[in-house]
Amino acid sequence: MRSYYFDDLPGDQPLPHDSTRPVSEETLTALGVLYTRVPVDAEGRWEDRVNDIATERAYCNHDVMSISKEGLGDEFEATMKMFYEEHLHEDEEIIYILEGSGFFDVREHATDAWVRMHLEAGDMMVLPAGIYHRFTLDMGNKTRTMRLFKDEPKKAHPRGGEADVNPSRVEYLKSFPGITSVA
């Protein structure tokens, strides 16, 4: 996994948009984003490790999404647009890349800048509840991703309005020093 600040320049969303300003794993951890590497192997040892992580974090559900133009056909553009819309979830979410690669962007709370993470097969990321984020494929244009959930997947809340005062967002913001309430 490689992480850096998004350059905010015009261009297709699957382009790297690399500002050349790296973001450290410590910065990601401060945002509540956790990263680990679980290499995908033919022997299936990755499954045992993912199951161990799911048990440690009290996850009981998962799904596997295969995203490609070939696989989604006419729904591809609409699906990619939906995933790229800035949103939050009310629960923590684990993402594990089984095949292919893509970009997850998260909002840095203090600056509102996008932090872009390029994930490839074997990369696992934990997003905290209440963090604004989005996803897009990279130029490889395909991925197979496992998402793990504590319960059933909950709907995404687009940024703004009700999402800004959603209890999961409020709790996320309170995790930062000096923030005691959200207006």
Side-chain angles (χ1 to χ4, degrees):
M1 192 253 326
R2 197 170 146 265
S3 59
Y4 51 87
Y5 287 100
F6 187 84
D7 65 13
D8 283 323
L9 297 175
D12 290 343
Q13 64 195 41
L15 294 173
H17 286 281
D18 190 345
S19 67
T20 69
R21 294 176 31 228
V23 173
S24 68
E25 198 168 323
E26 291 78 24
T27 298
L28 292 175
T29 300
L31 293 173
V33 176
L34 306 176
Y35 168 79
T36 193
R37 179 104 179 117
V38 181
V40 179
D41 60 340
E43 296 80 30
R45 288 185 300 261
W46 67 268
E47 292 180 73
D48 293 337
R49 181 65 185 124
V50 169
N51 288 334
D52 289 345
I53 291 168
T55 299
E56 289 167 15
R57 299 187 79 84
Y59 279 69
C60 58
N61 275 325
H62 75 277
D63 64 14
V64 175
M65 298 180 1
S66 294
I67 305 170
S68 69
K69 194 168 189 96
E70 297 79 26
L72 292 174
D74 293 340
E75 296 177 30
F76 179 76
E77 295 300 328
T79 301
M80 293 314 304
K81 182 178 180 182
M82 177 188 69
F83 285 146
Y84 201 63
E85 181 179 351
E86 184 174 2
H87 64 279
L88 63 80
H89 298 284
E90 294 177 341
D91 289 328
E92 177 182 274
E93 180 180 11
I94 296 179
I95 294 105
Y96 177 57
I97 307 295
L98 294 164
E99 294 176 23
S101 50
F103 296 111
F104 279 89
D105 300 334
V106 296
R107 283 284 186 191
E108 183 179 50
H109 165 67
T111 66
D112 211 35
W114 281 115
V115 172
R116 176 157 272 199
M117 296 166 286
H118 189 212
L119 276 67
E120 300 175 324
D123 288 334
M124 178 182 279
M125 179 178 62
V126 179
L127 295 176
I131 192 171
Y132 283 119
H133 63 282
R134 63 188 182 188
F135 168 78
T136 190
L137 294 174
D138 62 12
M139 296 305 285
N141 235 9
K142 69 176 180 176
T143 188
R144 193 164 67 95
T145 303
M146 177 184 287
R147 300 182 309 164
L148 293 95
F149 307 96
K150 291 190 182 216
D151 194 12
E152 294 297 318
K154 297 205 170 55
K155 74 174 192 162
H157 299 274
R159 184 172 183 171
E162 292 180 24
D164 288 341
V165 294
N166 182 291
S168 63
R169 179 69 180 164
V170 171
E171 286 305 307
Y172 174 71
L173 292 175
K174 285 182 181 178
S175 72
F176 293 97
I179 297 182
T180 56
S181 67
V182 179

